[in-house]
Amino acid sequence: GCNSKRETDTMDTFMCSSWYFLRYPCSNLHDKPFDKNAINKWLPVDQYVGGVEHAILHLLYARFLTKALRDNRMFDINEPFKKLLTQGMVQSPAYKNPKTGRYIPYHEIEDINNPIDPSDNTKLEILFEKMSKSKYNGIDPEVVINKYGADTARMFILFKAPPEKDLEWGDSDVEGQFRFLSRIWKLYYEFINEGNVETGKILINTDNERNIIKSMNIAIREISHDIENNQFNTSISELMKFYNCISKEFKNINFSLKELVLKNFCVLLAPFAPHISEELWHLLGLNDSVHVQNWPEYDANSIINKTYELVIQINGKVRDKIQIPTDSSEEIIKEKSLESTNVIRWIKDKQIKKFIIVKGKIINIVI
């Protein structure tokens, strides 16, 4: 006989997680959960990223409910998600007493290089385990962000391991990414303070300029491919290679080419270190955001090697290696090989029976 309120939240949480994605395109609806036309337009989800604990129940239920709603003509999509990436766990050192099974908080250990349980003096095991409160091995991102910045934290997480693998937290690796970003900042700062005048022409006349153009186009090609395939760690490796080439060749290239290289480097860096990239973009004197720029396209011709190393064998044994133009004919390959001092010494007055040539790789002179 008392006033009451009907309980509406009666289903298990798995029920909610089995259809929440249908709500995203229809979040402004208040009289029904979703709109058929909006679901047909926007779904299925292109890329789902989740931990391994979602791999069975949640994804199974989501597929089941999607198909049940489809069978009831609520919409026409067949699957909720097109592509799945099961990400690895973040692990860090946990200190466990092998006798009691108790985990000891980091701050209670007097000497971290020789960890002892202060309660019974037992030597602790050091285990890399998934971060959790119960094991006292969580790292607060705020600590890293306050010390090094958000971009360093982001770069470390992306670089340390492929996304599908477990990641072991390491302070030295965090510092390594901070140093890399600091070197990038210094490179841009020195360029801005050079005071060179832009010629408007991007000249490519020297070996240094050809090398940096080649490195830039390789970076664009490789990073584009790696991002498409969620291989962010190798993307950052390619950025490091590109940076190394820039730092080596930068003093010996013209101003306009420097500017082009730094613009493209900034755009390539932006997905991984968005804050510093935006700042560097504006330091270059560019007004709108680096994050709305077109992604650079690589020039295949600039990646082609103009020369290659030809291995010269005599009767199957390597006797010399020479650099030769990539487009050399078989006659030129023979001629250049026979001009080699080592080859002349080994052949002397012997009769050449035949040449075996594998273009782009090797010549075998049979005597």
Side-chain angles (χ1 to χ4, degrees):
C2 299
N3 291 332
S4 61
K5 183 179 178 181
R6 184 179 295 277
E7 176 59 78
T8 56
D9 188 9
T10 59
M11 290 191 178
D12 180 81
T13 52
F14 270 117
M15 188 66 192
C16 301
S17 65
S18 296
W19 75 276
Y20 71 91
F21 44 89
L22 302 174
R23 185 71 180 155
Y24 283 125
C26 312
S27 59
N28 60 333
L29 291 181
H30 301 294
D31 58 342
K32 56 183 177 179
F34 51 81
D35 175 72
K36 181 176 182 177
N37 292 330
I39 299 300
N40 288 339
K41 177 181 178 180
W42 290 105
L43 269 69
V45 172
D46 293 289
Q47 175 72 65
Y48 185 103
V49 181
V52 69
E53 68 272 13
H54 294 154
I56 303 170
L57 298 180
H58 162 54
L59 292 175
L60 180 70
Y61 298 157
R63 295 187 68 214
F64 176 88
L65 197 66
T66 299
K67 290 176 185 296
L69 293 169
R70 175 209 61 195
D71 291 348
N72 282 276
R73 298 184 180 84
M74 303 291 283
F75 45 66
D76 300 328
I77 65 166
N78 198 31
E79 291 281 356
F81 318 116
K82 283 184 184 178
K83 195 175 176 185
L84 169 68
L85 171 63
T86 302
Q87 65 187 22
M89 298 293 183
V90 181
Q91 300 180 335
S92 68
Y95 300 89
K96 184 179 180 182
N97 186 321
K99 291 181 182 176
T100 63
R102 178 172 167 261
Y103 288 88
I104 309 301
Y106 178 92
H107 60 84
E108 290 183 11
I109 300 168
E110 193 171 315
D111 181 2
I112 209 67
N113 297 313
N114 182 33
I116 302 293
D117 187 337
S119 60
D120 64 1
N121 292 325
T122 300
K123 188 171 179 61
L124 299 172
E125 294 177 324
I126 305 173
L127 308 168
F128 268 91
E129 298 192 19
K130 175 187 170 184
M131 288 186 180
S132 71
K133 290 180 181 177
S134 63
K135 294 172 183 175
Y136 307 105
N137 65 336
I139 304 289
D140 185 352
E142 284 292 324
V143 175
V144 178
I145 291 166
N146 290 338
K147 185 174 181 181
Y148 298 108
D151 282 345
T152 296
R154 183 182 176 97
M155 289 274 283
F156 162 74
I157 291 167
L158 293 173
F159 179 69
K160 180 67 175 175
E164 69 276 7
K165 302 290 185 186
D166 288 344
L167 179 160
E168 289 187 359
W169 190 270
D171 290 340
S172 61
D173 298 312
V174 176
E175 289 170 6
Q177 289 303 313
F178 178 74
R179 286 195 298 271
F180 177 51
L181 289 173
S182 299
R183 288 195 296 271
I184 292 169
W185 181 269
K186 185 183 177 189
L187 174 74
Y188 279 75
Y189 192 82
E190 288 176 352
F191 168 77
I192 291 157
N193 286 283
E194 268 182 16
N196 288 341
V197 179
E198 184 179 351
T199 62
K201 292 181 180 178
I202 298 171
L203 305 172
I204 307 171
N205 296 324
T206 67
D207 286 341
N208 304 93
E209 288 162 348
R210 280 186 281 272
N211 286 342
I212 207 163
I213 283 287
K214 181 180 178 182
S215 177
M216 179 178 74
N217 280 281
I218 289 172
I220 293 168
R221 182 188 65 182
E222 296 302 313
I223 293 168
S224 301
H225 173 269
D226 290 343
I227 288 176
E228 286 294 324
N229 291 279
N230 297 320
Q231 295 303 309
F232 308 119
N233 57 318
T234 51
S235 296
I236 294 172
S237 294
E238 291 298 330
L239 271 174
M240 290 174 170
K241 291 178 191 174
F242 184 20
Y243 168 81
N244 289 338
C245 180
I246 294 172
S247 60
K248 179 182 175 185
E249 308 286 9
F250 215 54
K251 290 180 182 177
N252 304 308
I253 66 175
N254 65 80
F255 183 85
S256 295
L257 182 55
K258 285 180 180 180
E259 193 170 52
L260 173 69
V261 166
L262 289 181
K263 283 179 183 178
N264 278 332
F265 187 92
C266 201
V267 175
L268 294 173
L269 177 67
F272 311 101
H275 306 92
I276 194 173
S277 302
E278 185 76 342
E279 189 68 19
L280 294 173
W281 188 255
H282 289 287
L283 284 175
L284 290 173
L286 302 159
N287 291 325
D288 59 357
S289 172
V290 68
H291 302 295
V292 298
Q293 305 308 310
N294 289 332
W295 190 253
E297 294 184 12
Y298 79 94
D299 174 14
N301 291 326
S302 67
I303 293 174
I304 297 169
N305 290 323
K306 307 298 182 190
T307 63
Y308 69 93
E309 187 179 68
L310 177 71
V311 177
I312 305 172
Q313 291 184 341
I314 299 175
N315 288 355
K317 291 187 177 179
V318 176
R319 298 304 182 190
D320 205 356
K321 295 175 182 178
I322 60 170
Q323 287 294 322
I324 194 165
T326 305
D327 57 358
S328 298
S329 65
E330 289 199 356
E331 288 307 313
I332 295 291
I333 293 171
K334 290 177 189 177
E335 183 184 314
K336 294 293 182 185
S337 299
L338 293 174
E339 288 174 359
S340 159
T341 307
N342 273 355
V343 170
I344 292 168
R345 185 164 61 87
W346 280 96
I347 291 178
K348 292 183 180 176
D349 300 325
K350 296 183 176 67
Q351 181 187 352
I352 296 173
K353 291 186 175 181
K354 63 177 176 178
F355 295 93
I356 301 167
I357 298 173
V358 180
K359 269 196 166 184
K361 291 185 178 179
I362 195 167
I363 179 171
N364 187 20
I365 305 169
V366 181
I367 58 173

